[in-house]
């Protein structure tokens, strides 16, 4: 059994689970009703049928149902069962919430959520809620897909606006009922408006880093947030990946710690975008490999651990890396000529040399232009598109660029959408955090706008 703090997540080892909300009932204690919302990638329900509660106890798919309340004096509970194996592919998250009747959640003692294996009854996860106050509706946790696996996240977000506020935040239409006149509350007691679940996740993330004393990563995430806010992406959700060149010429960049520092800055961006607060990692040389995920829990030694598992290689093949990225997110690396709709994927692709498979690489860029996939290429070396921090060392076109092929990909014609951007630095240590985050968002916002318009992003 795992006890989670707010904002933490854990893989679910069981397919059929029951989320059980528990509390201590008694005289004067508000009644509590559990509910669930089935959300697509845009964080909203498709219709009111995606809301499961006591008056609508089973979802049409059969994947989610309200199991019923056990109440009385003493321990009480209400539950939601979820069969993740039956959840429709379009559903990305199942949010577990509740409303209180007769008072706020701050008056409900012993409030907690347990996730049980529905077959064995074993307790898999526990989340204790100790900071409830004036809220009359709560999101306690969520089950969500990540890389083909289901995970659980402890959320702990309250709504002073009640069940209606919770439901409308996720797209449920709620009919207002007339209420008896009541004295207006004093100004000091006025409830703060509810904030979005995404915003609450970001707040929880910053609190977690601050509690851990991780000032470096906290500062990086805040710097990333400034750049994203300027682009209108402060609460945007996307999957984030980093592709790292492990050809032999990268040796000094790895040994000096410059690639580790660069990966940490990409992680900071990923923590703002990705609901899982992590980035997927891929490495490539003569071959290409998946390298797990980089997160706030393992980032400090992550690049060193990659190199202990993957030795530097003698070749550079962009196309092999791009193929495993496409297969990882969309199930296939085959040529594509029709649009695919899914969650957006942002890939930071870092290399210091030319590729040996130009035709294969062009093919993947072309095919992935029909997918919700954006390639941000960053070269380390001399280029006509260099943004090195020292102006005297800018490459201004004298002689052939080391990265003429990548420069050409940036402007390649015939694609469904322009899905790539490119810049180069001679030394990644010479570019500030703020400048890097701005560069990473140069073309992505416009690609995202067009991808939505043309149906690539759900």
């Amino acid at each position: 059994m795992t006890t989670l703090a707010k904002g933490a997540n854990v893989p679910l080892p069981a397919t059929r689970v029951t989320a059980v909300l528990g509390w201590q009932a008694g005289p004067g204690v508000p009644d509590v009703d559990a509910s669930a919302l089935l959300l697509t990638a845009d964080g909203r329900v498709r219709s009111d049928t995606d809301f499961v509660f006591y008056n609508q106890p089973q979802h049409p798919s059969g994947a989610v149902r309200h199991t019923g309340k056990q109440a009385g004096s003493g321990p009480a509970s209400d539950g939601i069962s979820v069969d993740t194996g039956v959840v429709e592919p379009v559903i990305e998250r199942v949010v577990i919430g509740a409303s209180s009747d007769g008072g706020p959640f701050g008056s409900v003692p012993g409030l907690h959520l347990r996730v049980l294996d529905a077959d064995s009854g074993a307790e898999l996860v526990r989340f204790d809620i100790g900071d409830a106050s004036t809220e009359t509706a709560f999101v306690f946790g969520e089950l969500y897909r990540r890389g083909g696996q289901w995970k659980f996240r402890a959320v702990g977000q309250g709504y002073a606006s009640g069940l209606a506020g919770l439901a409308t935040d996720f797209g449920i239409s709620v009919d207002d009922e007339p209420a008896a006149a009541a004295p207006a509350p004093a100004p000091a007691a006025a409830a703060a408006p509810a904030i979005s679940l995404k915003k609450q996740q970001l707040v929880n993330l910053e609190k977690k880093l601050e509690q851990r004393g991780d000032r470096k990563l906290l500062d990086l995430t805040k710097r990333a947030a400034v750049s994203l806010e300027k682009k209108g992406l402060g609460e945007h959700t996307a999957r984030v990946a980093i592709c790292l060149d492990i050809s032999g010429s990268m040796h000094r960049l790895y040994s000096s710690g410059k690639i580790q520092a660069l990966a940490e800055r990409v992680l900071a961006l990923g923590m703002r975008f990705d609901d899982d607060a992590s980035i997927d990692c891929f490495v490539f040389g003569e071959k290409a490999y998946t390298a797990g995920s980089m997160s706030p829990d393992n980032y400090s030694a992550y690049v060193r651990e990659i190199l202990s598992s993957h030795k530097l290689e003698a070749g550079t093949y962009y196309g092999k890396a791009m193929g495993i990225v496409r297969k990882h997110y969309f199930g296939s690396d085959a040529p594509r000529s029709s649009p695919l709709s899914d969650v957006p994927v942002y890939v930071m692709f870092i290399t210091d040399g030319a590729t040996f498979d130009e035709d294969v690489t062009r093919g993947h860029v072309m095919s992935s232009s029909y997918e919700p996939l954006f390639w941000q290429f960053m070269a380390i070396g001399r280029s006509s598109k260099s943004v090195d921090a020292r102006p005297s060392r800018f490459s201004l076109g004298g002689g052939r660029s080391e990265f003429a092929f990548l420069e050409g990909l940036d402007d390649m014609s015939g694609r469904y959408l322009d899905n790539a951007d490119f810049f180069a630095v001679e030394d990644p240590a010479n570019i500030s955090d703020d400048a890097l985050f701005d560069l990473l968002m140069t073309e992505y916002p416009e690609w995202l706008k067009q991808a939505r318009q043309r149906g690539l992003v759900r």
Side-chain angles (χ1 to χ4, degrees):
M1 187 268 290
T2 302
T3 300
L4 295 184
K6 182 185 291 189
N9 63 78
V10 65
L12 286 177
T15 301
R16 289 167 21 88
V17 298
T18 303
V20 180
L21 181 63
W23 69 97
Q24 286 291 322
V29 174
D31 194 19
V32 176
D33 294 297
S35 58
L37 298 111
L38 288 75
L39 309 181
T40 58
D42 63 0
R44 298 175 71 82
V45 299
R46 297 165 296 179
S47 70
D48 292 359
T49 60
D50 285 340
F51 185 31
V52 175
F53 65 116
Y54 56 87
N55 273 342
Q56 189 167 268
Q58 182 161 312
H59 190 262
S61 68
V64 181
R65 62 185 179 87
H66 181 243
T67 61
K69 186 183 300 184
Q70 303 294 323
S73 182
S77 65
D78 198 6
I80 299 289
S81 70
V82 182
D83 187 340
T84 59
V86 181
V87 175
E88 299 157 284
V90 71
I91 298 300
E92 293 281 333
R93 292 187 285 158
V94 179
V95 168
I96 307 299
S99 58
S100 62
D101 183 24
F105 273 104
S107 300
V108 180
L111 198 59
H112 64 274
L113 181 69
R114 297 185 301 144
V115 180
L116 311 178
D117 184 323
D119 295 319
S120 70
E123 183 173 316
L124 306 175
V125 181
R126 182 183 175 100
F127 173 39
D128 291 297
I129 298 93
D131 58 353
S133 56
T134 61
E135 303 90 345
T136 53
F138 236 90
V139 170
F140 291 93
E142 62 179 6
L143 285 69
Y144 64 101
R145 299 181 195 264
R146 179 64 73 229
Q149 183 182 29
W150 282 88
K151 304 180 76 172
F152 173 80
R153 178 186 290 110
V155 177
Q157 177 188 350
Y159 289 76
S161 50
L163 182 61
L166 183 154
T168 54
D169 192 36
F170 296 106
I172 297 290
S173 58
V174 178
D175 295 326
D176 293 328
E177 296 181 0
I195 63 174
S196 72
L197 181 58
K198 178 69 175 184
K199 183 67 173 179
Q200 185 64 50
Q201 289 172 346
L202 294 174
V203 170
N204 291 343
L205 171 66
E206 291 187 0
K207 286 181 178 178
K208 183 178 179 181
L209 292 174
E210 192 164 10
Q211 290 167 355
R212 290 168 51 171
D214 194 338
R215 298 300 307 177
K216 177 172 70 172
L217 200 52
L218 177 61
D219 182 61
L220 282 175
T221 60
K222 288 185 174 182
R223 289 178 181 274
V226 171
S227 181
L228 296 177
E229 290 287 354
K230 289 190 295 185
K231 299 291 186 177
L233 298 175
E235 296 183 32
H236 175 56
T237 296
R239 296 167 180 163
V240 178
I242 186 171
C243 273
L244 294 172
D245 186 342
I246 55 168
S247 59
S249 58
M250 293 280 291
H251 171 72
R252 289 187 179 180
L253 289 164
Y254 280 109
S255 62
S256 65
K258 292 180 180 180
I259 297 301
Q260 171 68 33
L262 188 56
E264 290 172 0
R265 294 196 275 183
V266 178
L267 173 62
L269 177 71
M271 290 169 67
R272 307 301 305 191
F273 274 178
D274 197 309
D275 280 345
D276 208 24
S278 64
I279 59 175
D280 299 315
C281 297
F282 305 86
V283 296
F284 66 97
E286 290 183 290
K287 298 180 180 179
Y289 315 88
T290 58
S293 297
M294 185 179 186
S295 72
D297 297 322
N298 67 1
Y299 79 93
S300 60
Y302 197 78
V303 170
R304 183 172 68 248
E305 292 173 0
I306 285 179
L307 294 181
S308 68
S309 303
H310 302 282
K311 304 303 180 184
L312 299 184
E313 298 181 351
T316 305
Y317 290 82
Y318 301 167
K320 294 181 179 179
M322 298 173 81
I324 65 168
V325 169
R326 292 182 58 220
K327 193 168 185 178
H328 178 83
Y329 290 111
F330 308 119
S332 174
D333 58 358
R336 187 184 299 278
S337 57
S338 58
L340 171 70
S341 179
D342 208 327
V343 180
V345 179
Y346 179 97
V347 181
M348 180 69 173
F349 196 102
I350 299 168
T351 184
D352 76 334
T355 186
F356 294 167
D357 59 354
E358 291 187 358
D359 288 342
V360 176
T361 299
R362 286 192 194 95
H364 282 304
V365 172
M366 183 65 71
S367 291
S368 63
S369 74
Y370 293 91
E371 298 165 345
L373 178 57
F374 184 85
W375 303 98
Q376 178 62 66
F377 293 104
M378 173 182 171
I380 302 176
R382 297 180 64 83
S383 167
S384 61
K385 295 188 177 183
S386 173
V387 291
D388 193 288
R390 292 172 290 179
S392 63
R393 298 189 63 190
F394 279 14
S395 178
L396 299 177
R400 186 179 186 276
S401 167
E402 294 179 63
F403 302 104
F405 175 70
L406 281 179
E407 293 169 13
L409 287 185
D410 191 12
D411 301 316
M412 192 172 79
S413 61
R415 288 172 289 172
Y416 185 69
L417 283 182
D418 180 353
N419 61 335
D421 186 30
F422 169 76
F423 66 90
V425 295
E426 293 190 41
D427 186 339
N430 288 340
I431 185 168
S432 70
D433 297 331
D434 295 338
L436 178 63
F437 290 133
D438 284 347
L439 283 166
L440 297 183
M441 290 295 108
T442 300
E443 293 190 10
Y444 178 74
E446 180 59 28
W447 170 86
L448 183 64
K449 177 182 176 181
Q450 294 184 25
R452 285 172 172 156
Q453 291 172 348
R454 302 189 70 174
L456 293 184
V457 172
R458 290 204 297 253

